[in-house]
């Protein structure tokens, strides 16, 4: 199984400041035949179901604000919130879909400082 | 409007069974891969199972293989999860989700399953 490890477990960022979440996979999730990274990011706000933010490691879902961006390749990935807003308080998860069992990171809680 | 509405959760004793249902609307259910994802109280997300459009292919996380069965009825736009031999560690909110390859793009509100004596 591919193990996904996020860091940090939680972070507190001031409004308008940058938040950076890291995600590392235990093996590469880059599929060489199409040069795509099989990695997604989700946001789960308190009391809500998760929401897909980014797929293929860096492609934003329709309607997701452009302050959210994804980067990385192979085994190391980053989700960046360029200017934190109050509505971004949530737990963020990375997920690999390179192979089953599809696995998630443990989550990173983002709060306002 | 896309809707996924789960039902069937509740309190069950260890070793018991439960059948979850998910009613889908607002998108083409019959052409969608579907999945169950669970979240133990205060914990992270865990993929449980998926089923392809016709039900011809299914897969499960190892911890539920042989105990859980995912199925679907495209005529009723419904997804199911039959859970047998339930254990304490199966306690979680169970979400029905559409797998859009490359991501779970639609999620239900979840149904809570509590396994306890």
């Amino acid at each position: 199984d591919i193990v996904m490890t996020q860091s940090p477990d939680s972070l507190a960022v001031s409004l308008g400041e940058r938040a950076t979440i890291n995600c590392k996979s235990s093996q590469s999730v880059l599929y060489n035949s199409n040069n795509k990274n099989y990695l997604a990011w989700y946001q789960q706000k308190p009391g809500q179901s998760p929401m897909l933010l980014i797929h293929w490691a860096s492609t934003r879902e329709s309607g997701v604000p452009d302050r959210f961006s994804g980067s990385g390749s192979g085994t190391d990935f980053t989700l960046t919130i360029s200017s934190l807003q109050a509505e971004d308080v949530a737990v963020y998860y990375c997920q690999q879909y390179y192979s089953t069992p599809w696995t998630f990171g443990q989550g990173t809680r983002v709060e306002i400082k | 409007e896309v809707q996924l509405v789960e039902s069937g959760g509740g309190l069950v004793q260890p070793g018991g069974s439960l059948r979850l249902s998910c009613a889908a609307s607002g998108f083409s259910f019959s052409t969608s891969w579907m999945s169950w994802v669970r979240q133990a109280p205060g914990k992270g997300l865990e993929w449980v199972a998926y089923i392809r459009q016709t039900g011809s292919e299914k897969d499960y996380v190892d911890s539920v293989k042989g105990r859980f069965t995912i199925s679907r009825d495209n005529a009723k736009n419904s997804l199911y999860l039959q859970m047998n031999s339930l254990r304490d560690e199966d306690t979680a909110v169970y979400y029905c989700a559409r797998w859009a390859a490359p991501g779970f793009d639609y999620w239900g509100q979840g149904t809570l399953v509590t396994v306890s004596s």
Side-chain angles (χ1 to χ4, degrees), chain A residues 1 39-40 42 44 48-52 54-56 61 93 95 97 100-107 109, chain B residues 33 35 37 39 43-47 49-50 59-62 95 99 101-105 107-110:
Chain A
D1 298 2
L39 183 109
Y42 299 84
Q44 187 176 31
Q48 295 186 17
S49 303
M51 183 181 81
L52 179 63
I54 286 170
H55 61 266
W56 299 133
E61 282 292 290
Y93 296 93
Q95 180 232 338
Y97 46 95
T100 58
W102 297 328
T103 48
F104 293 86
Q106 80 276 17
R109 184 177 303 276
Chain B
W33 289 44
S35 200
V37 178
Q39 186 168 35
K43 302 297 184 182
L45 301 168
E46 180 182 38
W47 167 74
Y50 80 72
D59 199 4
Y60 303 86
V61 68
D62 281 351
Y95 295 102
W99 175 249
F104 295 108
D105 62 346
W107 295 72
Q109 85 289 348

Side-chain angles (χ1 to χ4, degrees), chain B residues 21-50:
Chain B
S21 299
C22 172
S25 60
F27 67 97
S28 177
F29 179 80
S30 63
T31 62
S32 299
W33 289 44
M34 297 299 296
S35 200
W36 290 97
V37 178
R38 66 183 178 184
Q39 186 168 35
K43 302 297 184 182
L45 301 168
E46 180 182 38
W47 167 74
V48 174
Y50 80 72

